[in-house]
Amino acid sequence: MKLQITGVITTIFLMNNVFASDGEALYGQLCASCHTSNAGVKIAPPIFAVVDHVRQAYPQREDFIAQIIEWVDEPKAEVALMPGAIRKFNLMPKLGYSQNDVEEIAEYLFDKDTVLSKEYKEHKKKGHGSH
Ligand code: HEC
């Protein structure tokens, strides 16, 4: 009986993790492979740096979301907010993702900002964010 209950609780916990935030799951599938926040391999700027730049330029939630959608739909060097990142990593490729998916990701990234900012501050403290 005890075991069964543990099993049920575990299942609920796992389901919650999967369905808690589609944006988070989609971000993991579609963006995290390049925008990793671990300090190892570097093929793109870490996501908290990206969010920080976009958010400074577009502090309103709707504008932020619109900007992410437009960018992912077609990255263009002329309008990039992070020209230094293009020099370092080359322009982000056009990925052909569905706008719905990207919208959910953008919402997730905006709403998660407090967490991301904390990471970013630590990143800056270590002197990697000064460009
Ligand atoms: C194949 C690797 C790759 C994937 C996948 C990827 N990106 Fe990027 N992204 C990059 C690189 C490289 C840059 C830095 C160069 C640049 O700005 O184009 C970048 C830059 C950005 C920027 C900054 C744009 C600017 O104004 O300079 C945003 C915003 C962004 N990515 C969002 C996303 C989102 C959201 C996803 C997932 C839907 C995603 N990226 C998936 C490689 C990737």
Side-chain angles (χ1 to χ4, degrees), residues 27 30-35 43-45 47 50 54 67-68 71-72 75 79-83 85-86 89-93 95 97 102 105 109:
Y27 163 74
L30 303 179
C31 319
S33 49
C34 293
H35 291 285
I43 38 175
I47 196 65
V50 170
V54 178
Q67 171 65 17
I68 297 277
W71 172 265
V72 175
V79 300
L81 299 166
M82 303 176 76
I86 297 178
F89 303 107
N90 288 321
L91 184 67
M92 178 169 141
L95 298 160
Y97 295 156
V102 178
I105 292 168
L109 291 176

mmCIF file of all heavy atoms in Angstrom, residues 27 30-35 43-45 47 50 54 67-68 71-72 75 79-83 85-86 89-93 95 97 102 105 109, ligand 1:
data_model
loop_
_atom_site.group_PDB
_atom_site.id
_atom_site.type_symbol
_atom_site.label_atom_id
_atom_site.label_comp_id
_atom_site.label_asym_id
_atom_site.label_seq_id
_atom_site.Cartn_x
_atom_site.Cartn_y
_atom_site.Cartn_z
ATOM 1 N N TYR A 27 11.458 25.047 -25.112
ATOM 2 C CA TYR A 27 12.751 25.719 -25.056
ATOM 3 C C TYR A 27 13.873 24.672 -24.983
ATOM 4 O O TYR A 27 14.871 24.755 -25.706
ATOM 5 C CB TYR A 27 12.829 26.666 -23.845
ATOM 6 C CG TYR A 27 14.246 27.042 -23.529
ATOM 7 C CD1 TYR A 27 14.939 27.946 -24.335
ATOM 8 C CD2 TYR A 27 14.926 26.442 -22.468
ATOM 9 C CE1 TYR A 27 16.266 28.246 -24.092
ATOM 10 C CE2 TYR A 27 16.250 26.736 -22.213
ATOM 11 C CZ TYR A 27 16.914 27.638 -23.033
ATOM 12 O OH TYR A 27 18.236 27.918 -22.791
ATOM 13 N N LEU A 30 14.099 23.038 -28.488
ATOM 14 C CA LEU A 30 14.350 23.824 -29.692
ATOM 15 C C LEU A 30 15.470 24.855 -29.561
ATOM 16 O O LEU A 30 16.005 25.305 -30.572
ATOM 17 C CB LEU A 30 13.060 24.545 -30.128
ATOM 18 C CG LEU A 30 11.846 23.649 -30.387
ATOM 19 C CD1 LEU A 30 10.649 24.483 -30.794
ATOM 20 C CD2 LEU A 30 12.150 22.612 -31.461
ATOM 21 N N CYS A 31 15.791 25.256 -28.362
ATOM 22 C CA CYS A 31 16.776 26.332 -28.199
ATOM 23 C C CYS A 31 17.980 25.921 -27.370
ATOM 24 O O CYS A 31 19.093 26.385 -27.615
ATOM 25 C CB CYS A 31 16.152 27.557 -27.526
ATOM 26 S SG CYS A 31 14.499 27.981 -28.084
ATOM 27 N N ALA A 32 17.750 25.065 -26.378
ATOM 28 C CA ALA A 32 18.796 24.835 -25.375
ATOM 29 C C ALA A 32 20.034 24.159 -25.946
ATOM 30 O O ALA A 32 21.123 24.317 -25.405
ATOM 31 C CB ALA A 32 18.232 24.010 -24.220
ATOM 32 N N SER A 33 19.859 23.433 -27.065
ATOM 33 C CA SER A 33 21.027 22.751 -27.631
ATOM 34 C C SER A 33 22.111 23.762 -28.004
ATOM 35 O O SER A 33 23.291 23.471 -27.893
ATOM 36 C CB SER A 33 20.621 21.925 -28.849
ATOM 37 O OG SER A 33 19.852 22.710 -29.719
ATOM 38 N N CYS A 34 21.713 24.930 -28.462
ATOM 39 C CA CYS A 34 22.710 25.967 -28.775
ATOM 40 C C CYS A 34 22.879 26.948 -27.627
ATOM 41 O O CYS A 34 23.991 27.286 -27.248
ATOM 42 C CB CYS A 34 22.303 26.742 -30.023
ATOM 43 S SG CYS A 34 22.341 25.738 -31.514
ATOM 44 N N HIS A 35 21.751 27.421 -27.072
ATOM 45 C CA HIS A 35 21.823 28.437 -26.018
ATOM 46 C C HIS A 35 21.978 27.793 -24.650
ATOM 47 O O HIS A 35 21.178 28.029 -23.747
ATOM 48 C CB HIS A 35 20.569 29.317 -26.036
ATOM 49 C CG HIS A 35 20.513 30.199 -27.244
ATOM 50 N ND1 HIS A 35 21.298 31.308 -27.389
ATOM 51 C CD2 HIS A 35 19.769 30.122 -28.378
ATOM 52 C CE1 HIS A 35 21.049 31.890 -28.544
ATOM 53 N NE2 HIS A 35 20.123 31.185 -29.181
ATOM 54 N N ILE A 43 28.503 27.553 -28.512
ATOM 55 C CA ILE A 43 28.141 27.727 -29.915
ATOM 56 C C ILE A 43 27.181 28.892 -30.091
ATOM 57 O O ILE A 43 26.865 29.288 -31.192
ATOM 58 C CB ILE A 43 27.517 26.446 -30.529
ATOM 59 C CG1 ILE A 43 26.616 25.756 -29.521
ATOM 60 C CG2 ILE A 43 28.582 25.506 -31.028
ATOM 61 C CD1 ILE A 43 25.875 24.575 -30.094
ATOM 62 N N ALA A 44 26.715 29.431 -28.961
ATOM 63 C CA ALA A 44 25.794 30.569 -28.983
ATOM 64 C C ALA A 44 25.878 31.241 -27.616
ATOM 65 O O ALA A 44 26.302 30.622 -26.647
ATOM 66 C CB ALA A 44 24.370 30.079 -29.257
ATOM 67 N N PRO A 45 25.443 32.506 -27.536
ATOM 68 C CA PRO A 45 25.453 33.156 -26.219
ATOM 69 C C PRO A 45 24.500 32.444 -25.257
ATOM 70 O O PRO A 45 23.474 31.922 -25.690
ATOM 71 C CB PRO A 45 24.974 34.586 -26.516
ATOM 72 C CG PRO A 45 24.368 34.542 -27.872
ATOM 73 C CD PRO A 45 24.962 33.394 -28.597
ATOM 74 N N ILE A 47 21.527 31.692 -22.709
ATOM 75 C CA ILE A 47 20.168 32.220 -22.844
ATOM 76 C C ILE A 47 19.913 33.416 -21.919
ATOM 77 O O ILE A 47 19.213 34.350 -22.285
ATOM 78 C CB ILE A 47 19.108 31.095 -22.634
ATOM 79 C CG1 ILE A 47 17.748 31.549 -23.153
ATOM 80 C CG2 ILE A 47 19.024 30.639 -21.190
ATOM 81 C CD1 ILE A 47 17.672 31.796 -24.654
ATOM 82 N N VAL A 50 21.027 36.454 -23.662
ATOM 83 C CA VAL A 50 20.099 36.782 -24.742
ATOM 84 C C VAL A 50 18.863 37.474 -24.172
ATOM 85 O O VAL A 50 18.448 38.545 -24.628
ATOM 86 C CB VAL A 50 19.688 35.500 -25.513
ATOM 87 C CG1 VAL A 50 18.545 35.784 -26.473
ATOM 88 C CG2 VAL A 50 20.879 34.914 -26.254
ATOM 89 N N VAL A 54 17.463 41.343 -24.981
ATOM 90 C CA VAL A 54 16.155 41.573 -25.605
ATOM 91 C C VAL A 54 15.265 42.353 -24.641
ATOM 92 O O VAL A 54 14.530 43.252 -25.026
ATOM 93 C CB VAL A 54 15.505 40.235 -26.028
ATOM 94 C CG1 VAL A 54 14.126 40.470 -26.633
ATOM 95 C CG2 VAL A 54 16.390 39.491 -27.018
ATOM 96 N N GLN A 67 9.353 40.364 -30.494
ATOM 97 C CA GLN A 67 10.736 40.430 -30.962
ATOM 98 C C GLN A 67 11.354 39.032 -31.088
ATOM 99 O O GLN A 67 12.008 38.719 -32.076
ATOM 100 C CB GLN A 67 11.567 41.299 -29.997
ATOM 101 C CG GLN A 67 13.065 41.274 -30.240
ATOM 102 C CD GLN A 67 13.470 41.884 -31.582
ATOM 103 O OE1 GLN A 67 12.682 42.604 -32.210
ATOM 104 N NE2 GLN A 67 14.685 41.581 -32.024
ATOM 105 N N ILE A 68 11.113 38.181 -30.097
ATOM 106 C CA ILE A 68 11.660 36.817 -30.151
ATOM 107 C C ILE A 68 11.066 36.074 -31.353
ATOM 108 O O ILE A 68 11.783 35.426 -32.114
ATOM 109 C CB ILE A 68 11.343 36.030 -28.846
ATOM 110 C CG1 ILE A 68 12.007 36.684 -27.628
ATOM 111 C CG2 ILE A 68 11.733 34.558 -28.986
ATOM 112 C CD1 ILE A 68 13.450 36.337 -27.386
ATOM 113 N N TRP A 71 12.570 37.428 -34.573
ATOM 114 C CA TRP A 71 13.980 37.049 -34.705
ATOM 115 C C TRP A 71 14.124 35.572 -35.114
ATOM 116 O O TRP A 71 14.853 35.245 -36.042
ATOM 117 C CB TRP A 71 14.730 37.309 -33.396
ATOM 118 C CG TRP A 71 16.118 36.748 -33.450
ATOM 119 C CD1 TRP A 71 16.535 35.537 -32.998
ATOM 120 C CD2 TRP A 71 17.272 37.353 -34.056
ATOM 121 N NE1 TRP A 71 17.869 35.351 -33.270
ATOM 122 C CE2 TRP A 71 18.350 36.461 -33.924
ATOM 123 C CE3 TRP A 71 17.488 38.586 -34.709
ATOM 124 C CZ2 TRP A 71 19.626 36.742 -34.396
ATOM 125 C CZ3 TRP A 71 18.766 38.859 -35.178
ATOM 126 C CH2 TRP A 71 19.820 37.946 -35.023
ATOM 127 N N VAL A 72 13.425 34.686 -34.393
ATOM 128 C CA VAL A 72 13.572 33.260 -34.671
ATOM 129 C C VAL A 72 13.038 32.946 -36.068
ATOM 130 O O VAL A 72 13.569 32.105 -36.776
ATOM 131 C CB VAL A 72 12.876 32.398 -33.588
ATOM 132 C CG1 VAL A 72 12.914 30.914 -33.942
ATOM 133 C CG2 VAL A 72 13.542 32.620 -32.227
ATOM 134 N N PRO A 75 16.414 35.405 -38.491
ATOM 135 C CA PRO A 75 17.506 36.192 -37.904
ATOM 136 C C PRO A 75 18.160 37.064 -38.971
ATOM 137 O O PRO A 75 18.466 36.582 -40.060
ATOM 138 C CB PRO A 75 18.481 35.111 -37.408
ATOM 139 C CG PRO A 75 17.682 33.853 -37.303
ATOM 140 C CD PRO A 75 16.636 33.955 -38.373
ATOM 141 N N VAL A 79 19.422 43.853 -37.798
ATOM 142 C CA VAL A 79 18.577 44.246 -36.664
ATOM 143 C C VAL A 79 19.012 43.569 -35.359
ATOM 144 O O VAL A 79 18.343 43.685 -34.339
ATOM 145 C CB VAL A 79 17.076 43.920 -36.925
ATOM 146 C CG1 VAL A 79 16.575 44.666 -38.147
ATOM 147 C CG2 VAL A 79 16.849 42.416 -37.089
ATOM 148 N N ALA A 80 20.140 42.869 -35.387
ATOM 149 C CA ALA A 80 20.559 42.109 -34.204
ATOM 150 C C ALA A 80 20.862 43.021 -33.020
ATOM 151 O O ALA A 80 21.407 44.112 -33.177
ATOM 152 C CB ALA A 80 21.786 41.278 -34.539
ATOM 153 N N LEU A 81 20.475 42.568 -31.860
ATOM 154 C CA LEU A 81 20.757 43.294 -30.626
ATOM 155 C C LEU A 81 22.118 42.888 -30.062
ATOM 156 O O LEU A 81 22.650 43.533 -29.177
ATOM 157 C CB LEU A 81 19.678 42.986 -29.581
ATOM 158 C CG LEU A 81 18.258 43.385 -29.969
ATOM 159 C CD1 LEU A 81 17.258 42.736 -29.030
ATOM 160 C CD2 LEU A 81 18.116 44.894 -29.957
ATOM 161 N N MET A 82 22.637 41.792 -30.569
ATOM 162 C CA MET A 82 23.905 41.285 -30.054
ATOM 163 C C MET A 82 24.910 41.099 -31.202
ATOM 164 O O MET A 82 25.313 39.986 -31.515
ATOM 165 C CB MET A 82 23.676 39.951 -29.322
ATOM 166 C CG MET A 82 22.672 40.058 -28.199
ATOM 167 S SD MET A 82 22.327 38.450 -27.402
ATOM 168 C CE MET A 82 23.797 38.229 -26.407
ATOM 169 N N PRO A 83 25.316 42.215 -31.830
ATOM 170 C CA PRO A 83 26.251 42.101 -32.969
ATOM 171 C C PRO A 83 27.561 41.429 -32.566
ATOM 172 O O PRO A 83 28.170 40.726 -33.368
ATOM 173 C CB PRO A 83 26.470 43.558 -33.417
ATOM 174 C CG PRO A 83 25.953 44.412 -32.310
ATOM 175 C CD PRO A 83 24.944 43.612 -31.561
ATOM 176 N N ALA A 85 27.883 38.970 -30.585
ATOM 177 C CA ALA A 85 27.649 37.525 -30.594
ATOM 178 C C ALA A 85 27.701 36.978 -32.018
ATOM 179 O O ALA A 85 28.142 35.858 -32.240
ATOM 180 C CB ALA A 85 26.292 37.211 -29.950
ATOM 181 N N ILE A 86 27.268 37.774 -32.986
ATOM 182 C CA ILE A 86 27.328 37.322 -34.384
ATOM 183 C C ILE A 86 28.788 37.208 -34.822
ATOM 184 O O ILE A 86 29.178 36.236 -35.461
ATOM 185 C CB ILE A 86 26.551 38.275 -35.313
ATOM 186 C CG1 ILE A 86 25.066 38.267 -34.927
ATOM 187 C CG2 ILE A 86 26.725 37.861 -36.775
ATOM 188 C CD1 ILE A 86 24.209 39.207 -35.744
ATOM 189 N N PHE A 89 30.005 34.008 -32.921
ATOM 190 C CA PHE A 89 29.393 32.698 -33.180
ATOM 191 C C PHE A 89 28.793 32.563 -34.577
ATOM 192 O O PHE A 89 28.288 31.506 -34.925
ATOM 193 C CB PHE A 89 28.250 32.435 -32.180
ATOM 194 C CG PHE A 89 28.650 32.506 -30.735
ATOM 195 C CD1 PHE A 89 28.264 33.573 -29.940
ATOM 196 C CD2 PHE A 89 29.389 31.485 -30.168
ATOM 197 C CE1 PHE A 89 28.615 33.626 -28.602
ATOM 198 C CE2 PHE A 89 29.741 31.530 -28.826
ATOM 199 C CZ PHE A 89 29.359 32.602 -28.032
ATOM 200 N N ASN A 90 28.785 33.612 -35.358
ATOM 201 C CA ASN A 90 28.050 33.677 -36.624
ATOM 202 C C ASN A 90 26.549 33.835 -36.366
ATOM 203 O O ASN A 90 26.074 33.561 -35.274
ATOM 204 C CB ASN A 90 28.293 32.469 -37.524
ATOM 205 C CG ASN A 90 29.695 32.485 -38.114
ATOM 206 O OD1 ASN A 90 30.198 33.545 -38.482
ATOM 207 N ND2 ASN A 90 30.320 31.336 -38.160
ATOM 208 N N LEU A 91 25.857 34.274 -37.417
ATOM 209 C CA LEU A 91 24.429 34.558 -37.299
ATOM 210 C C LEU A 91 23.660 33.276 -36.945
ATOM 211 O O LEU A 91 23.969 32.207 -37.456
ATOM 212 C CB LEU A 91 23.928 35.131 -38.624
ATOM 213 C CG LEU A 91 22.465 35.582 -38.677
ATOM 214 C CD1 LEU A 91 22.240 36.786 -37.768
ATOM 215 C CD2 LEU A 91 22.068 35.931 -40.106
ATOM 216 N N MET A 92 22.671 33.419 -36.069
ATOM 217 C CA MET A 92 21.810 32.289 -35.743
ATOM 218 C C MET A 92 21.113 31.802 -37.017
ATOM 219 O O MET A 92 20.610 32.609 -37.788
ATOM 220 C CB MET A 92 20.769 32.736 -34.709
ATOM 221 C CG MET A 92 19.788 31.649 -34.339
ATOM 222 S SD MET A 92 18.816 32.164 -32.897
ATOM 223 C CE MET A 92 17.225 31.516 -33.354
ATOM 224 N N PRO A 93 21.103 30.482 -37.248
ATOM 225 C CA PRO A 93 20.456 29.998 -38.487
ATOM 226 C C PRO A 93 18.938 30.144 -38.432
ATOM 227 O O PRO A 93 18.346 30.189 -37.351
ATOM 228 C CB PRO A 93 20.852 28.516 -38.533
ATOM 229 C CG PRO A 93 21.202 28.140 -37.139
ATOM 230 C CD PRO A 93 21.680 29.382 -36.453
ATOM 231 N N LEU A 95 15.515 28.549 -38.502
ATOM 232 C CA LEU A 95 15.250 27.188 -38.036
ATOM 233 C C LEU A 95 13.897 26.635 -38.484
ATOM 234 O O LEU A 95 13.645 25.439 -38.378
ATOM 235 C CB LEU A 95 15.350 27.143 -36.507
ATOM 236 C CG LEU A 95 16.754 27.499 -35.972
ATOM 237 C CD1 LEU A 95 16.696 27.906 -34.510
ATOM 238 C CD2 LEU A 95 17.722 26.359 -36.172
ATOM 239 N N TYR A 97 10.914 26.976 -37.167
ATOM 240 C CA TYR A 97 10.025 26.529 -36.093
ATOM 241 C C TYR A 97 8.641 27.149 -36.256
ATOM 242 O O TYR A 97 8.498 28.212 -36.854
ATOM 243 C CB TYR A 97 10.581 26.952 -34.725
ATOM 244 C CG TYR A 97 11.884 26.306 -34.331
ATOM 245 C CD1 TYR A 97 12.715 26.932 -33.409
ATOM 246 C CD2 TYR A 97 12.289 25.077 -34.859
ATOM 247 C CE1 TYR A 97 13.917 26.346 -33.006
ATOM 248 C CE2 TYR A 97 13.481 24.496 -34.473
ATOM 249 C CZ TYR A 97 14.301 25.129 -33.544
ATOM 250 O OH TYR A 97 15.467 24.556 -33.154
ATOM 251 N N VAL A 102 7.323 29.019 -30.742
ATOM 252 C CA VAL A 102 8.243 30.093 -30.368
ATOM 253 C C VAL A 102 7.551 31.074 -29.416
ATOM 254 O O VAL A 102 8.165 31.590 -28.477
ATOM 255 C CB VAL A 102 8.791 30.809 -31.625
ATOM 256 C CG1 VAL A 102 9.703 31.961 -31.228
ATOM 257 C CG2 VAL A 102 9.545 29.824 -32.511
ATOM 258 N N ILE A 105 7.673 29.652 -26.013
ATOM 259 C CA ILE A 105 9.040 29.771 -25.497
ATOM 260 C C ILE A 105 9.295 31.206 -25.029
ATOM 261 O O ILE A 105 9.842 31.434 -23.957
ATOM 262 C CB ILE A 105 10.065 29.368 -26.582
ATOM 263 C CG1 ILE A 105 9.955 27.867 -26.862
ATOM 264 C CG2 ILE A 105 11.477 29.729 -26.153
ATOM 265 C CD1 ILE A 105 10.690 27.396 -28.100
ATOM 266 N N LEU A 109 10.397 32.487 -21.406
ATOM 267 C CA LEU A 109 11.644 33.212 -21.150
ATOM 268 C C LEU A 109 11.388 34.531 -20.436
ATOM 269 O O LEU A 109 12.124 34.920 -19.535
ATOM 270 C CB LEU A 109 12.388 33.479 -22.469
ATOM 271 C CG LEU A 109 12.974 32.249 -23.162
ATOM 272 C CD1 LEU A 109 13.589 32.641 -24.498
ATOM 273 C CD2 LEU A 109 13.997 31.539 -22.282
HETATM 274 C C1 HEC B 1 21.670 26.173 -34.152
HETATM 275 C C2 HEC B 1 21.946 26.962 -32.956
HETATM 276 C C3 HEC B 1 20.829 27.842 -32.402
HETATM 277 C C4 HEC B 1 19.549 27.472 -32.040
HETATM 278 C C5 HEC B 1 18.904 26.097 -32.131
HETATM 279 C C6 HEC B 1 18.922 28.668 -31.517
HETATM 280 N N1 HEC B 1 19.784 29.732 -31.586
HETATM 281 FE FE1 HEC B 1 19.398 31.629 -30.977
HETATM 282 N N2 HEC B 1 21.279 32.213 -31.516
HETATM 283 C C7 HEC B 1 22.258 31.368 -32.011
HETATM 284 C C8 HEC B 1 23.503 32.121 -32.199
HETATM 285 C C9 HEC B 1 24.816 31.555 -32.738
HETATM 286 C C10 HEC B 1 23.221 33.448 -31.777
HETATM 287 C C11 HEC B 1 24.214 34.623 -31.714
HETATM 288 C C12 HEC B 1 24.390 35.296 -33.031
HETATM 289 C C13 HEC B 1 23.182 36.065 -33.439
HETATM 290 O O1 HEC B 1 22.718 36.958 -32.708
HETATM 291 O O2 HEC B 1 22.643 35.771 -34.528
HETATM 292 C C14 HEC B 1 21.819 33.483 -31.373
HETATM 293 C C15 HEC B 1 21.157 34.623 -30.931
HETATM 294 C C16 HEC B 1 19.851 34.646 -30.486
HETATM 295 C C17 HEC B 1 19.151 35.843 -30.078
HETATM 296 C C18 HEC B 1 19.730 37.269 -30.048
HETATM 297 C C19 HEC B 1 19.345 37.992 -31.319
HETATM 298 C C20 HEC B 1 19.921 39.390 -31.444
HETATM 299 O O3 HEC B 1 19.113 40.330 -31.451
HETATM 300 O O4 HEC B 1 21.152 39.539 -31.550
HETATM 301 C C21 HEC B 1 17.892 35.452 -29.712
HETATM 302 C C22 HEC B 1 16.766 36.343 -29.209
HETATM 303 C C23 HEC B 1 17.815 34.029 -29.890
HETATM 304 N N3 HEC B 1 19.015 33.568 -30.375
HETATM 305 C C24 HEC B 1 16.699 33.272 -29.591
HETATM 306 C C25 HEC B 1 16.597 31.891 -29.815
HETATM 307 C C26 HEC B 1 15.434 31.104 -29.476
HETATM 308 C C27 HEC B 1 14.187 31.653 -28.786
HETATM 309 C C28 HEC B 1 15.689 29.831 -29.887
HETATM 310 C C29 HEC B 1 14.757 28.635 -29.824
HETATM 311 C C30 HEC B 1 13.461 28.825 -30.439
HETATM 312 C C31 HEC B 1 17.022 29.827 -30.483
HETATM 313 N N4 HEC B 1 17.541 31.080 -30.399
HETATM 314 C C32 HEC B 1 17.627 28.694 -31.023
HETATM 315 C C33 HEC B 1 22.116 30.014 -32.300
HETATM 316 C C34 HEC B 1 20.978 29.265 -32.104
#
